[in-house]
Amino acid sequence: MTGITALGAYIPIYRLRRDEIARMWRTRATGGGQKAVAGHDEDPVTMAVAAVRNCVNGNALQPDILFFASTTAPYLEKQNAAIIASAVGMDRKTVTADFANSLKAGTTALMSALDAVKAGSADDALVAIADCRQGAPKGMDEPLFGDAAACLAIGRKGVIAEMESCYRSYSEFTGSWRTATDRFVKSGEKRFIDDQGYQPMMLETIGSLLAANALQPEDFSTIVFSAADSRAHAQLAATLGFKATQVQEPLFDRIGHTGATATVIMLIAALEKARPGDRLLVANYGDGADAFVLRATEAVTTCQTSLDQQLKMGRSIDYATYLNWRELMPLQASSLPARAEPSLSSRWRERQTISNLTGVQCNTCGLPQIHPIGQKIRVCIGCQSKDDFTPYCFSDKKAALFTYAIDHLQPTKNPPGLNGVVDFEGGGRLICELTDYDLDRVEIGMPLEMTFRKLSQDEGMINYFWKAKPTVLK
């Protein structure tokens, strides 16, 4: 049996309400609700790392394959999947690949991983999907596009949803697009896209899948599918003959349309409430369509993720903050000296510390310790033994805030800056930046966890590192 064995999702904690966007442009808010917004130090790679870590959930899973899918990957010529694999400490033999350029890139990557495991070329695979699509200011897409990431583990053991059948097709239809020189997504007239592109393609693909397997709408407990908005979503479900109770909520009003992630996020939400034996129909659109049938197994009752909690959490931001984070308008440059960016050679020398926050553990006394970037520990600070260490990963360890300093002068997109001294459970101390904090609730001893984030970007090269964030956010 081949299928999905574990689930992981990541929703940024920040929310931008649609009435806040309407207030800015003095227009009427359509649809209400809000969208999820990636923080100033987040991008599809950092969100994918978070989703993978939530999916693995502390287990020592070493997949044979890691696929990453996104339409907004930060690098166009450099493999993003390799950054993710390194950040979560995967074996160097892991096969990595990027899937891009289509809103169905996520389900295409999923089908490819399922095919690889079923064929025996891999025992386990991970598929990470993340998107941060940008709608033009004051445009129709701006209130709708949201940011999120998801991860699915594929294997033969502990399957929670088995793949029964699939049908895939392509279509050379230009509805929405973005070239290498475009910052914002462009699209044609909505009615034309729905009537000539989306509806015919989805009806043809889903209809062919149902016909090939002699299935009817009543054979499914849930249908999960993507759409440009709530209206198109409801219209397709009705045309296919599905009842409203069978249709998985598209989450538009809670986090927005999350691009290539949207269908997989909905699938995770559907599997969380599925019962053994339930059959799910999943379909995704983008330059064609992917459709497949999943059947929940007995193991689906053990399926637990933090998606529901993340959907309920949320910290509202105003439109000015959103403009700043997305660099949608020029601002006064800081008069302070710019932070020195690390060279390529120094990044290579410190790659283990940078990518996976790897330090050392003393073989004599067992004390973990992490060295500042650019320095090497040779003498144990506990027992003073010399050159007797083994690598030790700190990125997955619980931590607490020992002390902190508020920096009102630091040039940051989310002032004021917060630098902290972090003590790890079991030993080890690190000075680092904090993120996703509410300054009024920061206190000595608060529980923290490490998160992979952007520190800076210089001449197109993104400088990633680890920051600490509060474990429990309210």
Side-chain angles (χ1 to χ4, degrees), residues 61 71 116 196 262 270 275 334 376 455:
L61 177 65
T71 67
Q196 302 301 322
R275 296 171 297 180
S334 172
K376 181 179 180 181
L455 280 188

Side-chain angles (χ1 to χ4, degrees), residues 26 40 52 76 81 98 120 162 201 203 214-215 322 326 386 405 430 435 447 474:
R26 297 184 179 181
H40 66 98
V52 170
L76 297 181
D98 289 350
E162 178 189 8
M201 192 74 255
L203 290 172
L215 294 170
Y322 175 74
R326 289 293 188 268
K386 184 178 180 182
L430 177 70
T435 190
K474 297 182 180 179

Side-chain angles (χ1 to χ4, degrees), residues 75-202:
Y75 283 109
L76 297 181
E77 186 173 336
K78 172 175 169 54
Q79 195 181 77
N80 300 275
I83 303 174
I84 299 166
S86 179
V88 296
M90 291 185 181
D91 192 277
R92 290 280 297 278
K93 298 190 297 291
T94 303
V95 176
T96 58
D98 289 350
F99 289 70
N101 306 117
S102 170
L103 289 180
K104 66 179 178 68
T107 48
T108 301
L110 172 61
M111 300 302 298
S112 299
L114 284 162
D115 288 345
V117 173
K118 189 174 182 179
S121 58
D123 291 326
D124 295 286
L126 285 177
V127 178
I129 310 105
D131 246 341
C132 292
R133 298 165 79 211
Q134 182 66 57
K138 203 178 180 181
M140 294 179 61
D141 294 329
E142 183 183 44
L144 183 61
F145 288 173
D147 308 329
C151 182
L152 300 177
I154 310 300
R156 302 188 194 94
K157 298 179 181 178
V159 172
I160 62 176
E162 178 189 8
M163 171 66 70
E164 287 193 337
S165 59
C166 68
Y167 189 93
R168 288 173 278 185
S169 56
Y170 84 92
S171 171
E172 205 301 285
F173 176 83
T174 305
S176 298
W177 68 93
R178 183 171 57 87
T179 68
T181 58
D182 291 328
R183 181 170 187 183
F184 307 116
V185 176
K186 298 178 179 179
S187 60
E189 197 271 326
K190 185 180 183 305
R191 187 173 61 177
F192 168 73
I193 296 173
D194 288 344
D195 293 348
Q196 302 301 322
Y198 174 76
Q199 290 275 347
M201 192 74 255
M202 291 288 273

Side-chain angles (χ1 to χ4, degrees), residues 5 79 94 128 130 162 170 181 222 246-247 273-274 283 293 324 342 353 355 372 374 388 404 419 426 437 441 446 468:
T5 60
Q79 195 181 77
T94 303
E162 178 189 8
Y170 84 92
T181 58
T222 308
Q246 294 175 279
V247 181
K273 60 186 180 185
V293 178
N324 184 20
T353 302
S355 63
D388 187 22
Y404 64 93
N419 300 306
Y437 53 82
R441 298 188 179 186
M446 67 185 297

Side-chain angles (χ1 to χ4, degrees), residues 427-444:
R429 173 173 285 182
L430 177 70
I431 299 175
C432 66
E433 294 182 26
L434 272 70
T435 190
D436 290 357
Y437 53 82
D438 181 345
L439 196 58
D440 293 334
R441 298 188 179 186
V442 174
E443 59 183 8
I444 301 298

Side-chain angles (χ1 to χ4, degrees), residues 100-430:
N101 306 117
S102 170
L103 289 180
K104 66 179 178 68
T107 48
T108 301
L110 172 61
M111 300 302 298
S112 299
L114 284 162
D115 288 345
V117 173
K118 189 174 182 179
S121 58
D123 291 326
D124 295 286
L126 285 177
V127 178
I129 310 105
D131 246 341
C132 292
R133 298 165 79 211
Q134 182 66 57
K138 203 178 180 181
M140 294 179 61
D141 294 329
E142 183 183 44
L144 183 61
F145 288 173
D147 308 329
C151 182
L152 300 177
I154 310 300
R156 302 188 194 94
K157 298 179 181 178
V159 172
I160 62 176
E162 178 189 8
M163 171 66 70
E164 287 193 337
S165 59
C166 68
Y167 189 93
R168 288 173 278 185
S169 56
Y170 84 92
S171 171
E172 205 301 285
F173 176 83
T174 305
S176 298
W177 68 93
R178 183 171 57 87
T179 68
T181 58
D182 291 328
R183 181 170 187 183
F184 307 116
V185 176
K186 298 178 179 179
S187 60
E189 197 271 326
K190 185 180 183 305
R191 187 173 61 177
F192 168 73
I193 296 173
D194 288 344
D195 293 348
Q196 302 301 322
Y198 174 76
Q199 290 275 347
M201 192 74 255
M202 291 288 273
L203 290 172
E204 175 189 333
T205 303
I206 295 172
S208 298
L209 175 66
L210 297 181
N213 294 276
L215 294 170
Q216 300 295 326
E218 55 267 25
D219 295 321
F220 297 92
S221 63
T222 308
I223 179 172
V224 179
F225 64 96
S226 64
D229 53 33
S230 299
R231 179 179 174 277
H233 191 267
Q235 183 178 349
L236 180 63
T239 304
L240 288 167
F242 284 87
K243 299 177 181 177
T245 54
Q246 294 175 279
V247 181
Q248 170 60 41
E249 177 195 354
L251 305 175
F252 291 139
D253 288 343
R254 304 174 75 180
I255 58 174
H257 190 302
T258 52
T261 316
T263 299
V264 180
I265 283 283
M266 287 186 270
L267 174 59
I268 292 173
L271 286 173
E272 282 190 328
K273 60 186 180 185
R275 296 171 297 180
D278 281 355
R279 185 181 275 130
L280 291 80
L281 174 60
V282 183
N284 197 14
Y285 175 78
D287 300 285
D290 295 334
F292 49 95
V293 178
L294 295 173
R295 183 181 286 274
T297 69
E298 293 293 331
V300 78
T301 57
T302 65
C303 169
Q304 293 183 346
T305 74
S306 61
L307 176 59
D308 188 58
Q309 179 186 4
Q310 293 183 66
L311 289 170
K312 292 177 181 177
M313 293 164 54
R315 185 178 303 162
S316 293
I317 60 172
D318 58 31
Y319 194 79
T321 299
Y322 175 74
L323 287 176
N324 184 20
W325 288 0
R326 289 293 188 268
E327 298 182 347
L328 292 173
M329 62 180 297
L331 300 177
Q332 173 67 49
S334 172
S335 59
L336 296 176
R339 182 191 343 222
E341 298 293 335
S343 65
L344 288 175
S345 57
S346 65
R347 286 161 59 98
W348 171 251
R349 287 193 301 269
E350 301 291 340
R351 61 190 179 277
Q352 284 190 306
T353 302
I354 291 173
S355 63
N356 193 234
L357 203 60
T358 298
V360 296
Q361 184 174 34
C362 178
N363 292 326
T364 303
C365 68
L367 180 66
Q369 44 213 288
I370 186 167
H371 59 82
I373 297 294
Q375 300 181 25
K376 181 179 180 181
I377 294 176
R378 296 194 61 190
V379 178
C380 175
I381 62 173
C383 66
Q384 283 74 57
S385 61
K386 184 178 180 182
D387 294 333
D388 187 22
F389 301 102
T390 54
Y392 183 90
C393 179
F394 285 92
S395 60
D396 59 350
K397 303 299 185 294
K398 296 179 180 179
L401 186 61
F402 175 74
T403 189
Y404 64 93
I406 302 172
D407 189 348
H408 290 276
L409 299 179
Q410 177 182 340
T412 175
K413 290 184 180 179
N414 191 36
L418 189 63
N419 300 306
V421 178
V422 176
D423 283 344
F424 292 95
E425 189 177 84
R429 173 173 285 182
L430 177 70

